[in-house]
Amino acid sequence: QVQLAESGGGSVQSGGSLTLSCTPSLSAYQPSWMAWFRQAPGKGREGVAVIGKDGRTNYADFVKGRFTVSQDNAKKTMFLAMTDLKPEDTAMYYCAATRTSWSYASLESHDYSLWGQGTAVTVSS
């Protein structure tokens, strides 16, 4: 069974940068959409960014201009380049994927069936 593995989390100061990665455990797995979600302590899970196999992207308003989602040429790994990090970006970041060919770039967690274990990001002021 395919699994998603996130990496790249860590601790940075406000204004710093991190790049997260998400890689499926099976090279044959080809999702239609892959996305990043995050969950801060005591809060619900929220969509951050999504990318489709056709390259379409969508971002939550609170990360536009600061985060960039991308995928490698073989579409085996998804990245989230995060810049100008703020303390409010502190959260567990989760990778998610779906093979359903939604026509829209969803940031709703219920549209994704496969989830990683998460990688922690801490931003200090």
Side-chain angles (χ1 to χ4, degrees):
Q1 184 173 348
V2 63
Q3 296 179 330
L4 298 176
E6 303 100 330
S7 62
S11 298
V12 297
Q13 291 189 326
S14 182
S17 301
L18 283 173
T19 296
L20 307 181
S21 301
C22 172
T23 303
S25 60
L26 299 178
S27 59
Y29 179 72
Q30 295 187 351
S32 296
W33 298 95
M34 294 186 74
W36 289 99
F37 289 80
R38 71 184 188 185
Q39 187 166 14
K43 296 187 177 181
R45 190 168 295 188
E46 58 186 359
V48 175
V50 55
I51 187 165
K53 62 181 179 181
D54 59 1
R56 276 187 290 167
T57 60
N58 189 24
Y59 296 90
D61 287 344
F62 53 79
V63 301
K64 284 182 179 178
R66 299 190 298 125
F67 293 8
T68 302
V69 63
S70 62
Q71 54 193 11
D72 67 6
N73 290 337
K75 300 179 181 178
K76 297 295 188 286
T77 300
M78 175 179 64
F79 303 97
L80 185 68
M82 305 184 293
T83 64
D84 191 23
L85 283 161
K86 307 175 187 300
E88 51 265 41
D89 294 317
T90 295
M92 186 70 76
Y93 283 71
Y94 297 91
C95 171
T98 179
R99 289 192 293 181
T100 301
S101 299
W102 306 114
S103 61
Y104 52 91
S106 174
L107 286 174
E108 298 293 330
S109 59
H110 59 75
D111 285 333
Y112 296 86
S113 55
L114 184 64
W115 292 82
Q117 295 298 309
T119 185
V121 173
T122 302
V123 185
S124 57
S125 58

